[in-house]
Amino acid sequence: MDQIITAIGAIVLVPLVLLGYILLGERVIERLPERIQEWFRPYFWALPAIGFATIFMVYPLLRTVVISFRNNADTTWVGFDNYVYFFTFPSTLTSLRNSLLWLVFYTFFAVGLGLIIAIMVDRVRYESLAKIAIFLPVPISAVAASIIWKFMFDYQAPGTTQTGTLNALLGVVGHEPVAWLVNSTTNNAALIFVGIWSATGFAMVIISASLKAISSEVLEAARIDGANEFRIVQLIVTPLLWPTITVIGTTMIINALKTFDIVYVLTAGAYDTDVIATQMFSQLAHAHFSRAAAVGVVLFAAIVPLLVVNIRRFQQQEEQR
Amino acid sequence: MSGVADQVTTRREAARANSVSAVADRWSNALQRVPLHIVIIIFCAVWIIPTIGMVVNSFRSVSEMGQAGWWTTLFPPHGFTLASYQQVLNTENVGTSIVNSVLITIPATVIQLAIATMGAYAFAWMKFPGKNIFFIVIVGLMVVPIQMTLIPVLQFFKATGLSGTITAVWLAHSGYGLPFEVFLLRNYLGGLPREVFESAEVDGAGHAVRFLRIAVPMTIPAIASLTIFVFLGVWNDLLVALTFLGTSPNRPFTVVITQLVTSFGGGWQFLTAAAVLQMALPLAVFIALQRYFVRGVTAGSVKG
Amino acid sequence: MSEVFSRLSSRAIALSLGALLLVAACGGGSSNNSSSGNATSVTQWVAWGGAELQAYRDVLKPFTASTGITVHITTNRDSTNQIANGIISGTDLPDLAPSTTDPIQLKDWVTKGALKPLESFLDMSAYTSGTYPALTTAPGGAADDPYIGIIGGKHYMLMIKTQVKGLIWYNKKVFTGTAPTTFDQLLAINPSQYGAQKLFCAGFESGTASGWPASDQIDNIIMRQNDAAFYTSWIQGKVKFTDPQIKLGYQTFLKEVSAANVYGGSNTALTTNFGKAGDPMFKTPAGCLFLEQATFISAFFTQDFPGTKAGTDFDFFGHPSMGSAANDGNLNGFYDNVAMYNDTPAARKLMQYLATAPAQQIWANDGGTLGAIKTLTYTDPVFKRAAEVANTAKNLLVTAGDFMPSDMQAAFWKSLLDVTKDPSSLNAVLAHLDQVQAAAYKAS
């Protein structure tokens, strides 16, 4: 019961407290000399946001990097030992390889399919229905999605009735059932597909909005000039959508590298499906903090190029403002 | 010159519209589009059928699920039952965890949006030294994986005595969500017309007033859609809750479901009802508020 | 206009100040929550689901009736990892839960005070005299035996149930021959002679703990191919995985799960949950003749096939000899234990209750398990026999994986899944295990 009270308290009080913060703060700031106001006020307003970001992201980030160079008990420096562990243990290397697979295929297909589907449904009358169908997995949690696909991938011994949808379909065409999540040729693909299934709708919706913003006159002119649909998509639509595609692509890459839920729930990383996030979680569970930190740093290093791209894009946007 | 050609084309086309060959043309166009329809329908099927399959399974008994696929239930005898739902709801902790999910999600959403809006306003409409650097850092933080921050944040909560509390998770979610929200809201706020603020300033309205009575009301569409986005993200979260609340009685529904998975092992069948319950809220929210969701998400990223 | 603004803002300021006061006032009460520290309720994590859980609930009924204490049970097979996480992050722990079996982790948790000694609330002389000695007394009177939860002379695990592992179960209506006494004899049996498809059934899936049934199988092989000292050294990390004897163990294990011998091939073994692994034995035509599993599986059989009875419909014979008579006395036993993480009056009462014979007798009566107390009676002929087997074993050896450091255990289980899937990878897998072993046993 007191949990509920605390929650209601938080919902009501936090905005109120912030309100008070702003109002009281402004009252005080307005009394200060003009020049001091100029620089003090913005910091005052941005302080909560900057404070949170520092406590929960900046400081931990730096601290994790530091931890990765120290021993588990945090008493001495161990140099690159944890990184050596990372790059020589087959299990951690496998997780790195798998995360790269996710990065490439998840991103490519989520964005690619999103693009193709957006373009296709643009041309049919039942567009809204189709879009809802594709978007439906997006609000579903990865845990629920994993359970959904567990049934799709279900495996029974050959010769017995198949309970999994995919294996039943295989049975219809006379193929032996496949142990999707166990077989190493299929398991990573299966997991990545679950991710793609969840994310494509998101990409599609955003690309679709951009698509609709493309002037129809430009497209009409091209059609009259005799260009067929594929050329139009290739030479006009895609370049115009490129900024949107980049933004979505960045988001998807980040999602791919952060994937945890799907792998944890469906296979717990077994049979070489481990990814960096699950690897780090199990290192934490075994209380190997410094190794977990090293795993985290490697993950971050993979993302740094994205960081740079993101920042550059932001700076370009700023100049245009 | 092209204008005349256009007119001629249109008139000729209009004349042809009703002739037999016109009808044939339209039919052949439609037929050429059959592959298009087929492909779209296949995609829709692949995207919807799995979910339908699980929902159907949640209404079947465990022994049936182990013997035949969900599609067999569509034909008589149906054998629908609510046993799985009863089982899940009777399971220790499930009810509490659903309440916990709500208690975690709503305040976390409110807290981060309030802070983000304030911060975004400052970045959008105030000049101050180092603003760009701070903003770049915040934008950069959007790509940082949460895993990087888990250990120090765990230690932080331990040091402040917040371990295992729901408050800790509110703060954690807020911290992790802020970069993206500040980025998005800042873009949106920055796009608001300058004149409105300037005339208010001339009228003697201070920053507080300008923020509360002008900026916020005008940003409602973006805030509304962001609210949905954040709400869904927190409701569906597993990693943060598992790390910070794994053993706590305050853990939310997603964690309890995952723990049920490990406990039942082969009893995934029991989890169908749990999964349906867990997805019910986000789906309801999304269906009811889809307009705002799409609009707001595109507003931030497609702009500029 | 500015007056309107200032009046509104004054009201807002007043409200905010009031809000701040409220926050300060209620701030203290929220972190204490109602679950633990109670005199009337206990939170407990258990690894049992289904019929096992139902049996435990039966055990609790008289307790709740007489003391009025409610027990909130959560089933969680990944409890050790999550409790480890909880101890690290300082979150609330359940009052009672299984202890860790990782010796390093156990010592660590005792040092941190996460585990509470039984000595503080239990009559130790009654406990140690009534329970199977192998479970409560360190061999040679040593002060520490982390394998049974004794650190510094104090006990941290309350033993409540035991299992005998490595039993070969069969459907009496299908397998009508005589029980083989050696492993070679076992492998030589032709299943089609009895109308079954394959020799063995196997099921290794168990969520994040997948692979543990496989480790049971290989443990029972290794402990009979070698003596108890070797086996214990292996658990302690003193024997490499690439050691020829261990490799021999793996190769023998692979015979049990080869495509020729196991129902449905390796894919089925890997994807079937351990509780359902024996189901094909009861189908017509029978999928397999034998399932190697512990005593608890009997409850799973009766649950999935209502009406079947232990002793009449299904029975077991002991694990056949691996050819060395001296090692035949090595028996693989396991125990279920409860450890106390929060010392509360209610939790103490529950622990004291669970240590009593009446409590454990209820369990035994429900079938599917042996108690930890020597004097329990078993009506079920199968369990009577199992109890005798436990009592007369020369050495009651523990399950290897459970007593290795947690990351070694995880790698060990995984290795069995990997070789089952791909037997040709054996050498690479063993080499990797050596690598893990070198890192895991360093008490960093």
Side-chain angles (χ1 to χ4, degrees), chain B residues 2 27 60 67 85 104-105 113 115 125 154 156 160 182 208 213 263 267 271 286:
Chain B
S2 55
W27 273 100
R60 302 169 71 205
Q67 286 167 11
Y85 286 95
I104 291 177
T105 310
L113 285 174
I115 298 180
W125 289 108
L154 268 174
F156 169 73
T160 51
V182 169
R213 310 217 88 202
S263 75
L271 295 169
F286 162 66

Side-chain angles (χ1 to χ4, degrees), chain B residues 92-93 154 158 163-165 167 203 205 209 213 242-244 246-251 259 262-266 268, chain C residues 1 5 8 31 33 35 45 72-78 82-83 86-93 205 208 273:
Chain B
E92 192 78 32
N93 290 309
L154 268 174
K158 206 165 170 186
S163 294
T165 60
T167 313
D203 276 348
V209 167
R213 310 217 88 202
L242 190 59
T243 310
F244 294 116
T247 52
S248 166
N250 296 327
R251 58 193 183 278
Q259 289 174 337
T262 60
S263 75
F264 283 116
W268 284 82
Chain C
M1 187 137 144
F5 285 149
L8 276 169
S31 45
N33 31 52
S35 64
W45 282 19
H72 297 286
I73 304 175
T74 305
T75 310
N76 189 341
R77 266 187 222 286
D78 199 24
Q82 295 182 359
I83 291 182
I87 293 181
I88 293 165
S89 51
T91 57
D92 282 344
L93 298 174
E205 196 268 331
T208 41
N273 177 255

